[in-house]
């Protein structure tokens, strides 16, 4: 059985909710990623911050990324998957919530992230096509 741990990329890092968006952008550049899980003061998942969030919800709105925190952009219920969940559960979670990045949690700790690139490397063409159709479909 293929699990979330088998397909995730390791080395994912939190951005604390109190950190500013300019720091988040620097960390994204350093890690070469487009999204960071946001953690609260107890290192629990409270959201996901994307590069698009920084541009659209901060910069384009005329706000200063050095003054807006990651936590201010956290919204909704954060989605995640256990490291031992099988790939079908991963796909169900991502498809069911139309999300492109999924934090992987083990013993309440972030151990990795699953992104579109990870899926492309590990899924069959049929699985990938079904995932794309459901995640990118509007309405």
């Amino acid at each position: 059985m293929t699990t979330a741990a088998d397909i995730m990329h390791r080395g994912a890092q939190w951005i604390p909710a109190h950190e500013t968006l300019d720091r988040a952008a620097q960390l994204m550049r350093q890690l070469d990623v487009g999204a960071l899980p946001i953690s609260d003061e107890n290192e629990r998942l409270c959201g996901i911050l994307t590069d698009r969030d920084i541009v659209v919800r901060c910069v384009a709105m005329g706000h200063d990324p050095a003054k807006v925190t990651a936590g201010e952009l956290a919204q909704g219920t954060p989605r995640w998957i256990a490291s031992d969940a099988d790939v079908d559960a991963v796909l169900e979670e991502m498809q069911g919530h139309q999300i492109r990045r999924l934090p992987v949690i083990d013993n309440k700790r972030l151990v990795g992230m699953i992104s579109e690139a990870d899926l492309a490397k590990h899924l069959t063409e049929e699985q990938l096509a079904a995932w794309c159709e459901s995640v990118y479909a509007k309405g």
Side-chain angles (χ1 to χ4, degrees):
M1 170 181 82
T2 302
T3 66
D6 296 328
I7 65 173
M8 71 181 188
H9 65 270
R10 299 180 188 283
Q13 291 185 28
W14 300 109
I15 188 76
H18 68 270
E19 283 287 353
T20 58
L21 298 183
D22 61 340
R23 175 65 187 119
Q26 292 164 2
L27 185 56
M28 286 180 188
R29 181 186 64 215
Q30 176 187 339
L31 298 173
D32 193 27
V33 297
L36 295 169
I38 303 169
S39 70
D40 65 15
E41 62 278 352
N42 299 314
E43 290 196 352
R44 307 245 0 213
L45 182 65
C46 64
I48 299 275
L49 177 68
T50 67
D51 48 7
R52 187 174 193 280
D53 290 331
I54 295 171
V55 172
V56 173
R57 297 180 55 215
C58 177
V59 176
M61 299 296 289
H63 303 297
D64 182 353
K67 294 180 180 171
V68 177
T69 66
E72 290 176 67
L73 294 191
Q75 60 181 347
T77 302
R79 308 308 308 180
W80 57 274
I81 197 84
S83 62
D84 61 353
D86 69 31
V87 72
D88 290 333
V90 170
L91 294 174
E92 186 176 308
E93 185 70 19
M94 294 176 85
Q95 290 170 318
H97 298 282
Q98 292 188 305
I99 55 176
R100 301 174 195 161
R101 298 170 181 104
L102 187 63
V104 181
I105 307 291
D106 189 20
N107 293 320
K108 299 182 181 179
R109 296 282 179 218
L110 177 70
V111 294
M113 287 279 283
I114 297 173
S115 68
E116 295 166 290
D118 300 312
L119 295 179
K121 291 177 193 172
H122 294 91
L123 298 181
T124 67
E125 286 184 25
E126 293 79 21
Q127 287 174 309
L128 191 58
W131 180 84
C132 288
E133 184 177 331
S134 65
V135 169
Y136 290 104
K138 301 280 185 200

